Amino acid sequence: LETDGEVRKRVEQAIVRVLGNQSSNGSFGLWSSFGSQDTWLDAYVTDFLLRARERDYDIPSLALESALENLENRIAYASDFNDGGEAIAYALYVLASAGRASIGDLRYYADVKLDDFATSLAKSQIAAALALYGEAGRAERAFAAAVGESGRVEMLSYRSDYGTVLRDNAGVLAYVTRASATSVDAAALTRDVANRQDATPVLSTQDMAWLLLAGHELEKKAEAARFAVDGSP
């Protein structure tokens, strides 16, 4: 936010606090470096660090390399699943954003396991990872599946990936917008997210974070838009 003169200082402080919770194997804990065995959380924190590095924040290379190696190891030893896979999907997306995901893994999860992912967010992360690797056809099919499944986990009271349907749909919207996916109705998805936000009296931290990411992607898309009225730009 250009109007917030303190934002860079706060992000730098957040980076320091987050890295203080990193263990020797590259994973992260919620409150300390101990007891950290949560692949989804590891992916979330590594995603934050990569996004910060893209915006020229100073991220220690050893810490980031350790975080990425941790995700690679988690994927290499991941168990099969029939209804889940949220952590696998996120880890693969984060690795793809660093250019370190296996295209063979992505194709397998898109072609064989896509229907087994439990949430729309997980499906969209597989789609977004494929889009980063130029797999347009598979990415579009996965995005369409993600949007078609939005809201399926509405009744769950507890989720191990810290999620809500609002959080998931905001995440899907962010990925769809960033990839310029054509297989889904982005305008309808945007309205759905806005309506869910309006209907949610109390937003979780995850809700707010992913709504911010979706808003950022929509704003970037709007800045690039051009139109004319009676031939005048």
Side-chain angles (χ1 to χ4, degrees):
L1 297 172
E2 294 179 359
T3 57
D4 187 348
E6 297 295 318
V7 66
R8 188 167 190 91
K9 179 180 178 181
R10 290 206 309 277
V11 174
E12 290 171 344
Q13 291 172 341
I15 292 167
V16 171
R17 289 197 301 269
V18 162
L19 292 179
N21 291 344
Q22 187 177 29
S23 68
S24 59
N25 69 354
S27 63
F28 296 89
L30 283 169
W31 312 114
S32 72
S33 61
F34 298 103
S36 49
Q37 294 294 328
D38 186 337
T39 304
W40 200 96
L41 178 67
D42 290 345
Y44 183 66
V45 176
T46 308
D47 191 8
F48 163 66
L49 295 174
L50 286 171
R51 289 173 185 270
R53 188 181 66 171
E54 287 175 3
R55 287 156 181 80
D56 296 324
Y57 287 91
D58 182 23
I59 306 297
S61 57
L62 182 60
L64 185 57
E65 177 65 22
S66 180
L68 290 167
E69 287 181 355
N70 170 58
L71 294 182
E72 288 174 331
N73 290 334
R74 297 296 182 90
I75 292 297
Y77 294 100
S79 300
D80 196 15
F81 63 93
N82 294 317
D83 186 26
E86 297 93 332
I88 292 173
Y90 200 178
L92 283 169
Y93 169 76
V94 174
L95 289 170
S97 66
R100 293 175 60 155
S102 162
I103 188 61
D105 285 347
L106 290 173
R107 289 170 177 167
Y108 167 74
Y109 284 112
D111 295 347
V112 179
K113 300 293 290 182
L114 189 63
D115 289 341
D116 293 334
F117 285 102
T119 67
S120 58
L121 181 62
K123 290 181 174 68
S124 71
Q125 286 167 332
I126 295 295
L130 288 162
L132 289 173
Y133 278 22
E135 292 273 329
R138 284 185 172 90
E140 291 291 350
R141 288 193 295 273
F143 275 129
V147 173
E149 287 290 295
S150 62
R152 187 164 72 93
V153 292
E154 190 92 57
M155 300 305 294
L156 293 181
S157 59
Y158 169 79
R159 289 174 52 183
S160 60
D161 67 346
Y162 311 95
T164 65
V165 173
L166 174 59
R167 190 285 304 269
D168 286 3
N169 287 13
V172 173
L173 178 58
Y175 291 125
V176 163
T177 305
R178 188 171 195 177
S180 298
T182 60
S183 59
V184 301
D185 187 341
L189 180 60
T190 303
R191 289 193 298 271
D192 176 75
V193 171
N195 291 336
R196 288 180 184 275
Q197 179 183 3
D198 289 342
T200 304
V202 179
L203 299 176
S204 72
T205 304
Q206 282 284 308
D207 292 334
M208 290 186 283
W210 291 81
L211 284 166
L212 183 63
L213 290 175
H216 174 68
E217 297 299 340
L218 289 167
E219 185 177 61
K220 286 173 59 181
K221 188 71 68 177
E223 288 174 350
R226 298 290 183 270
F227 63 94
V229 177
D230 295 331
S232 299

